[in-house]
Amino acid sequence: MSISNDQERQKPRPIEQHTTAAWANIERTKEISNVAIPSEVEVGNAKEWVDSNQK
């Protein structure tokens, strides 16, 4: 028994939850889009990590 294309499209896709991730440190969220805004410290940490891990 095979799954039809319609059934495949109707399957819910998993949504990752990053709100509890160690790197999140959410300072606030945008009102309408609910996008997480990290603190300035976390932005600096992310920039340091990217700068030190460039190829």
Side-chain angles (χ1 to χ4, degrees), residues 5-49:
N5 284 340
D6 289 336
Q7 288 174 329
E8 192 67 33
R9 285 188 208 131
Q10 291 176 1
K11 283 185 178 181
R13 293 185 177 182
I15 298 173
E16 296 179 13
Q17 294 293 322
H18 294 286
T19 55
T20 58
W23 51 263
N25 198 10
I26 298 169
E27 186 171 283
R28 63 186 173 89
T29 57
K30 287 191 171 189
E31 191 172 319
I32 296 172
S33 63
N34 207 26
V35 172
I37 307 297
S39 67
E40 285 189 39
V41 171
E42 292 305 317
V43 172
N45 290 343
K47 183 181 179 340
E48 280 183 38
W49 187 89

